[in-house]
Each structure stands twice: as structure tokens, then as C-alpha cells.
Amino acid sequence: MAIIDRNMTPPRPDSSPAHGEVAPTSAASVNTSRFRRIMSQIPGPLIGLIVIFVALSFLSPYFLTPRNLLNILSQVSAVGVMSVGALLIILLGGIDLSVGSVLALSSMSMAAMYKMAGWPFEVALLAGLIVGALVGLINGILTAYGKLQPFIATLATMSAAAGLALFITNGNPITGFPDWFIAITATSILGIPIEGVILVAIFAIAAFWLKFRPSGRALYAIGGNEEVARLSGLPVRRAKILVYTIAGLLAAVAGLLVTSRLDSAQPTAGAADLLNVIAVVVIGGASLSGGSGSLLGTFVGLLIIGVLNNGMSLLNVSANLQPVVIGAVIAAAVLTDRKSSRRHT
Amino acid sequence: MVQTLAHTTHDGQADGDSAGLICTGLSKSYWGVPVLKDVDITLRPGNVIGLIGENGAGKSTTSSIIAGIVEANGGSMTIDGIPYEPARPSDALKNGVALIHQEIRMVPELSVAENIFIGRLPRRRGVIDRNRINDEAREYLELVGSQTDPRRPVAGLSIAAQQEIEIARALSREPKYIIFDEPSASLGQAETQHVFAQIAALRQRGVGIVYISHRLEEIKEVADTIVCLRDGALVGNWPASEITKDEMVKAMVGRDFVFSHRAPKPATSEVALSVTGLSKAGVFAGIDFDVHRGEIFGFAGLVGAGRTEVVRTIAGADQADAGEIKVHGEVVQIRNPRSGIDAGIAMVPEDRKGQGLNLDRTGAENITLPWEKELSSAGIITKKKVTSTANKLRDFLDIRGRLDIPVGSLSGGNQQKVLLAKWLVNEPKILILDEPTRGVDVGAKMTIYETIRALAETGVGVIVVSSELEEVLGLSHRVLVMSGGLQRAILDRADATPEAVMALALSNVPKESPLESPIDGEAEYQTTIRTQEN
Ligand SMILES: Nc1ncnc2c1ncn2[C@@H]1O[C@H](COP(=O)(O)OP(=O)(O)OP(=O)(O)O)[C@@H](O)[C@H]1O
Ligand SMILES: [Mg+2]
């Protein structure tokens, strides 16, 4: 802070008012530009969500009941938890293909340690989380130090983790968990299912980190231009390793939620989640080239996917057609987003 | 006086002559703010217009409109009397209008030749005809005096080399009108002379040229007519031979203005930075020098002599193979930029876009980026803190433009000030400036020079690398001259004449370097330096 606080002012060639740069002139132009700025603050995906929401309330009488809405929250919790990790990685300009396999592997590891190795359940649970974080750590090390492209590094771990999950029980599910663990996905606090609370809490903590903590804000800088970030003294490699590890840990948390809900650890759980997770982040307005995106947007993206899937089931849309709709939504979201980001070029 | 001159040459429309590229009443607003107001420019075939104006005056906006990159909100253009309304850059190229951007845009993975012919790669039996593009690319590169191999990828080339490619690309379109937006900002003396020779040749062939630069002597040398913009409006135009440098400055800033280099105050005897035996295989070797507290230490040499590489290594951006660095007497291990910053070494890199600024983030965010830990309380950094820190520096450096919009939409010179601001948030022990005034107008240059001197006077050791000889010699207490990756000499201010420095800079240069032209530049240096020291 030294320089500017010391009140050291370099002698200026002149002291006349600055004129090289144009200042807003009339009150009208200030107003229109402020209005435009406020409009541009409203995330595009939110408008989409509201439209879908209103449409579905008309189409299905059951849609707008509290019970159904809370149900949506439960349905999206696992994908939602993983999409937090995915957003962090995508902000860095990376990608994580391994989330679904990590979900399965950590769930199976926990179950195997509890049921097959006979460990106390709490220890097994912790071990399951650690397995997820470890795979994430490997992703991080491969990309940060091995200089592998994230797509390739996580393709490798995706394959390996999926194989390991199957290997543990030769492809068989494991069932029978303590009651309190099952209760996580069957209880509500103040009417809100616990998994929904966990989901929102994770979003909130991560959003706080991204907005207010230097290490969180650094992700935007690194994703925006890695060399600028490095020369600014940001620990680029450490940030990558940290974020991939967090993403692995969150995939493991999602694994626990799924296991609890099904009362069963399944080696193929999560296989379909990868595309949903990426869809959520992309619909939420993040750019796959890194440096831009927000958790608020991601949350809205999550709700869009959740509400759409729920609504289509309520309306008896064929399960085979649902992915077609999701695909169209992804394309629409990205198309409208590109228009808005072209503003200042 | 400015006004009377303006009348003498404003003849274009009066004759009713429609030959050439004629812009009438060009206007443009961003975010509801006008940045270009009713600008008329008449570019005749075979005429060179020197376009001048302060940072943010609207020069690049004007050229972008002419080249179809941005759309004007008002006004019209004609070419030889036919309406010209480019909706996109390709329309401009079809009409024979080419722009050499202020910010270079290349595809790093593609070869030099591919970059030159991108978008119109010739094919033979369905595949790119590489031999042909390589041969043609080589011809155009030679026109600008570039020895770059057209087959190599652009990645890893210096900015100067890329600038030459950018010019070769424009020439390869065989345009009838060319706009050069501050090409010399990224070129050394020798390269600039090649570009001038090329401009002279183009002019002979009847090409109409707009040349934008903040180096006013250069503008006078190359232009027939000088056109000045201020705050987005046309101030006037003059025959280049009839206007002096002082009058040009006056037209730009709107008042009398004296440009001078005052001698720096003596440095202290305390050593701030001491470098011994610094080497990096194949890049530079045997670099030894001390910078005292309060000293401004210059690095001179031709583009490619290794100056940037040496200072990057000192700041931790690259790794040395051998050597020792001491800061305030203590040996420091600098393994990466962070450890450099922690040791008190700040570096303003030469490549603003690639290494200095994140153009999509706001100015304020860019300024505080390295200091977020220091600026946070209880681990939390607020937008308010970021904004207030940035605003203090805005005032300190006289940055003109908003800091809450993407920094990429500021004018080039103001981006440079934002970059400087970023490294002044925390006072460094050693401040390294690589091309600190690239693309900066005269007024801003003065501000930056005064800032550098003022920083030195508070005890900072400052290193200045610059391809503008006048700048290094005018600022520095001592100058280290490099050529071919080796340190040739360290000259005291009194001995550091342009001749002495150029002789050292040219010593032992590998054969392929263009040697002839900088000598032409020398006489000129001498006079400019003289005038500035008194
Ligand atoms: N995309 C944009 N969005 C908002 N403002 C812009 C944009 N592009 C330019 N401006 C503004 O327009 C004004 C003119 O900018 P321009 O780049 O034309 O200046 P210039 O004369 O080329 O300056 P310099 O010498 O620094 O390159 C500046 O105030 C700049 O901030
Ligand atoms: Mg410009």
C-alpha cells in the first residue's frame, strides 16, 4: 500500500481536468446505460427457468405443489453437488470426465470397507470420501504437473475408476446400511429434505469462496489467462490440484447421497450423470474455455434440468425423448448467451 | 495558429473530387457514451495520413470503422465516389481496405505462412498448397525486412516478429488503402525503418495510407498530411511539412505542452539488486550488474538481443541455469513469479495482452490481482476494497476510462497504465519495466516517466527495458547494452550517447540481422536527445 498511501503524486504535465476520455454526458445516456447494465446483470438462464416454470404450472396441475418442488430438489441433489465441482474446474478452463465413475468408486469402496472388510461404518464413510478426493488429486497432479490435457487425464481416470468400481464386487451391488445413513435422504428439516439442505449449503460455501476469498477469485484469473495469472504470482498449479481434489470429494459426497437413497452401492451408479453435470454448468452460462461462469448460474442451470425432467415425467413425455429436449435446451442456452457476451466487442 | 493552419489544407470536398476513401461525419458511441463525433477524413490514393491524438481520442475506433470491424452509429464512407458500407472485415478487404491492428491477433499453432494466408489458403488437388504459400509468404516478409521462416509456427515468436507478420499479411492482400495502427509500438528501430521503406514504396504505387503513432517525429517523417483527433472529434489537418512537433502536441492535448527529460536525481550507494553470472543456455550468458536504490537502470539493445529474457528470469517468469540474485544484500531463490514478488521484485511485462492483462476482466480486478491476499481482511476480499484500491491508482496514474468494464475496451494507452498500476499497488523493492510506454501518448508518457523517477527517488531500484533509445537514455542513470544474448557494456549516463549505445548494440550481431537501417536512425536520435536534455 506504500505508494498510494504515502501521497506521492508525480508532477503532472497539467492540472486541467481530464479530457482524453469521454465521460457520460447527459442524464438520459446515464439512465439507459444503467438500465442496460441492470438488465445484463440478470442471468439469461434465470429468464429461461421462469419461462419453463410458468409453462409447466399451466400444463400440469401437480407441478406447482410444494411436495413436487421439494421432490425436484431431492432428485437433483447428487448431480447438483457434482456440478459445483464441475463449475470450479470449468472456470479454470479444465474439464472433469471422471465424476460419474468417481461417484461409483467411492460409493463401492465405502460399502466394501463396511460390509466386506468389516470396518466401523463411520470410518468406511470417511474412507469413501477420501477415495473420491484421491482420484481428484490424481486428476489434479496429471494436469498441473504432468501437463496432460484435462480431457485426457480425466478420461484415463474415468476409465480406471469405473473399472475398479466393478472389480470390487465383480459387478454386484452391496446393500444394507445403518438406518441413520438411509435417513439422510428420507428426512426433512423444516419441510426441506436433508439432501436439499446439503446441496444448498455446498453451493453457498463454494459461492462465498469464489466471490470473497482470494484463492477462489484466482480461479477466474487462471481460467481467463493462465500466463497473466502466473506472472501475477498466483499459485496456478496449486489451484488446479486443489480444485480437482475438491471436485473428486464432491463426487464422493454425491455417491453417498445416491447410496443412501437407494440403500445400495451400485458399481454402475452415476454412469449417466457426467453429461447432466456438464449440461447444468453450460446451461448455467459458464464458458468451457474458462474464466467465466457463476455458481448462481449453475444453480439455475441445475433447476432448469431438474424442472424439465420432472415436468416431462409429469406430462408423460417418453423417457427416450427427454434427452432430445435437454439437448435443445443446451443449444438454446449457449446461443442466447453468446449474443449477450458479444456486447462489448 | 493551429486554426489558421487547418484552413489551408481542408480542400477535399471543395474541389468536388471524389477520388480516394472519403469518410464523412463518422460517429460512434459505446454504452451511450460518444467516442467519435462527426469525423471527416479524406484519404487520397498515394497519400499518407498521419493520424494523431491522445490515448482514447478515437484513432483505433476510426480505423476499426473503416476496416469494417465495428459499425459506425452515423456518417458515411465512399471509395472513388461509390458508397462504401463494410459490414464485416471481409467486405473491407474486398474493397481493397486492409487494417494492421494495434493488438496483434495470430493463431499461434499455425505456421507463419498459414497465418498470412488464413481464410484464403490456396489449394492444390484438394490440399493446402504449402510450397506456394511458403514462397509467397517469404516474399511479403522480405518486403518488411523480416527473416522469419514462414514454415515455423507463430507460437514463440517475439512481438516484433509477429508485428512484421501482421504487416506482411496486410500487404499480401495487395490493398488500395492500408491503415497502420501503431505498428512501431512493437517494433525496434531497424524494423520500423523497414516499414517506412515499405510505406514509401506503397505510396509510389498509389496506395492510400493511414499511419497511427504516438511517436511524433516518426509521424512527421512518414506522413504527407497530419490529422488530429481529440475527444473523438476532428481538430484539424495540416501538411506534415508545415507543422512542428510542438504544434502537433498542442493540437492533441489542446494547450501548450513542454516535453522534457529532466536528469534523474543521484542514486544512493546502497545496492538494491545484484545479479552475478546469470545464464540461461542458448538465450543469454554471463549477465553481471548491480542496481542501486534510487537508481534507474536501463537495458538497451536491438529487439532479440535477450533483454526481455534476462529481466523475465530475474522476476521469476523463466528459470535461470546459473547465477545468483541478491535483493537488498540477501541471496534470494526465485523459482517462480510468486517468489519474485515475495522478494520484492515486480515486473511489468512487454506483452500486455498475453502476459499483462486479462482483457475480459475489469480494470479494477486486473489491478488488484496480485495483491488480493494483502488486500483482504480476515481472508475476505470485497469488491469495495478492489474498487477503492483501483480508484486510488487511477488518480495516481491519471488513467482515463472506467475501471468497472472489461479492460479490453479501454484504449491501448490506458490499458498500459492499468498494467503499470497493477504493479504499484504494493511498493516493490525492484521494479522492472519492459517497454513501459508502449502505445502511450505524449502526456501519458510524461506521467509515466515522472512516476518512474518519483519511485526511484523513494528508494526503489528501477530497471527499464526499452526499444526507444531516447527513452532508456533519457531516463537512466546507467545503461547496460546487450547484443546476441551477451552483456556488452554498462555505460554511465554521460557516456551513453546514442552512437556509443548503437555501436555496442550492433557488435557481434549474427549475420541475418538487418544491420543497415538503424544507422540511418542515429543522426535523428542525436538531435532528439539533445533537444530533450536542455
Ligand atoms: N468495445 C468498447 N467498449 C466500450 N468503450 C470502448 C470500446 N472500444 C473503445 N472504447 C472507448 O472508445 C474511446 C476511444 O478508443 P480508441 O481505442 O479509439 O482510442 P485510441 O485513440 O486508439 O487510443 P490509443 O492511443 O490509446 O490506442 C476510449 O474512450 C475507449 O475506452
Ligand atoms: Mg488505439
Side-chain angles (χ1 to χ4, degrees), chain A residues 17-342:
Chain A
H19 48 261
E21 200 73 21
V22 274
T25 40
S26 69
S29 71
V30 175
N31 276 340
T32 49
S33 69
R34 185 174 303 158
F35 173 73
R36 242 185 265 152
R37 258 199 303 155
I38 291 170
M39 280 307 287
S40 69
Q41 296 283 304
I42 300 177
L46 188 59
I47 299 168
L49 177 63
I50 294 170
V51 170
I52 295 170
F53 211 84
V54 171
L56 284 174
S57 335
F58 281 107
L59 290 173
S60 163
Y62 180 69
F63 175 76
L64 209 55
T65 58
R67 202 183 131 78
N68 185 50
L69 295 181
L70 291 174
N71 197 10
I72 295 178
L73 201 58
S74 305
Q75 281 166 354
V76 298
S77 59
V79 166
V81 168
M82 288 188 283
S83 66
V84 171
L87 175 77
L88 300 180
I89 288 178
I90 284 172
L91 279 182
L92 278 180
I95 189 89
D96 185 0
L97 302 180
S98 68
V99 275
S101 320
V102 173
L103 181 155
L105 179 62
S106 39
S107 159
M108 287 303 289
S109 319
M110 172 195 75
M113 283 164 197
Y114 175 52
K115 284 286 183 182
M116 291 158 66
W119 292 13
F121 181 72
E122 290 76 8
V123 178
L125 188 144
L126 203 63
L129 293 175
I130 291 174
V131 166
L134 269 180
V135 180
L137 180 67
I138 294 172
N139 285 335
I141 291 174
L142 287 178
T143 44
Y145 285 95
K147 300 259 184 269
L148 283 190
Q149 279 171 353
F151 191 98
I152 295 167
T154 59
L155 184 67
T157 50
M158 169 176 91
S159 170
L164 274 178
L166 285 166
F167 174 79
I168 293 175
T169 57
N170 206 8
N172 295 313
I174 303 177
T175 51
F177 295 97
D179 288 342
W180 69 263
F181 180 65
I182 313 289
I184 292 180
T185 50
T187 323
S188 305
I189 306 176
L190 301 172
I192 301 170
I194 293 187
E195 49 190 331
V197 175
I198 294 177
L199 173 70
V200 173
I202 290 177
F203 263 95
I205 293 170
F208 178 83
W209 183 57
L210 276 186
K211 196 162 167 61
F212 293 111
R213 300 274 304 177
S215 54
R217 290 166 53 94
L219 305 191
Y220 286 98
I222 296 169
N225 187 329
E226 200 170 311
E227 185 62 7
V228 170
R230 191 179 77 93
L231 290 179
S232 300
L234 300 184
V236 173
R237 285 195 288 216
R238 212 165 65 202
K240 282 187 180 170
I241 289 180
L242 177 70
V243 164
Y244 278 96
T245 307
I246 291 175
L249 179 67
L250 289 177
V253 171
L256 299 187
L257 291 179
V258 171
T259 313
S260 158
R261 193 180 315 130
L262 303 177
D263 187 13
S264 159
Q266 305 202 346
T268 54
D273 287 342
L274 170 63
L275 294 182
N276 275 327
V277 167
I278 293 176
V280 161
V281 176
V282 170
I283 292 173
S287 153
L288 283 186
S289 52
S292 80
S294 74
L295 274 170
L296 184 63
T298 303
F299 195 71
V300 172
L302 178 67
L303 293 182
I304 288 181
I305 292 272
V307 165
L308 266 184
N309 279 330
N310 173 273
M312 287 190 290
S313 308
L314 290 180
L315 296 175
N316 285 325
V317 176
S318 152
N320 294 336
L321 268 186
Q322 294 187 8
V324 179
V325 175
I326 301 288
V329 170
I330 295 177
V334 177
L335 282 175
T336 48
D337 195 49
R338 209 174 31 196
K339 214 174 280 156
S340 68
S341 67
R342 213 183 274 156

Side-chain angles (χ1 to χ4, degrees), chain B residues 113-126:
Chain B
E114 283 165 327
N115 268 285
I116 290 177
F117 290 101
I118 198 160
R120 58 201 162 114
L121 289 164
R123 270 173 297 191
R124 237 183 106 211
R125 294 195 212 99

Side-chain angles (χ1 to χ4, degrees), chain B residues 208-273:
Chain B
I209 294 167
V210 175
Y211 187 88
I212 301 176
S213 173
H214 289 294
R215 303 191 185 162
L216 301 178
E217 295 88 9
E218 188 180 287
I219 285 261
K220 260 180 82 70
E221 180 182 341
V222 73
D224 303 312
T225 312
I226 298 209
V227 174
C228 178
L229 291 177
R230 191 198 311 151
D231 293 346
L234 194 67
V235 181
N237 51 35
W238 305 267
S241 52
E242 287 176 23
I243 183 169
T244 65
K245 191 182 157 194
D246 288 342
E247 287 164 348
M248 281 157 76
V249 174
K250 184 169 178 188
M252 284 166 67
V253 302
R255 73 201 126 77
D256 283 311
F257 182 91
V258 193
F259 188 83
S260 65
H261 263 302
R262 69 174 166 86
K265 295 211 177 116
T268 66
S269 58
E270 270 173 88
V271 176
L273 174 78

Side-chain angles (χ1 to χ4, degrees), chain B residues 325-373:
Chain B
I325 297 174
K326 284 191 202 157
V327 174
H328 287 190
E330 279 173 39
V331 177
V332 289
Q333 298 300 332
I334 297 172
R335 293 173 310 276
N336 51 41
R338 181 81 249 170
S339 46
I341 294 167
D342 292 341
I345 303 177
M347 177 181 69
V348 174
E350 62 167 346
D351 178 0
R352 188 159 67 215
K353 188 175 62 163
Q355 301 168 357
L357 295 175
N358 197 337
L359 297 184
D360 297 329
R361 314 296 306 173
T362 68
E365 284 170 327
N366 270 286
I367 289 174
T368 54
L369 185 60
W371 314 110
E372 297 215 328
K373 282 232 172 68

Side-chain angles (χ1 to χ4, degrees), chain B residues 59-60 102 181-182 412:
Chain B
K59 304 179 296 296
S60 297
Q102 182 170 19
D181 196 352
E182 294 192 45

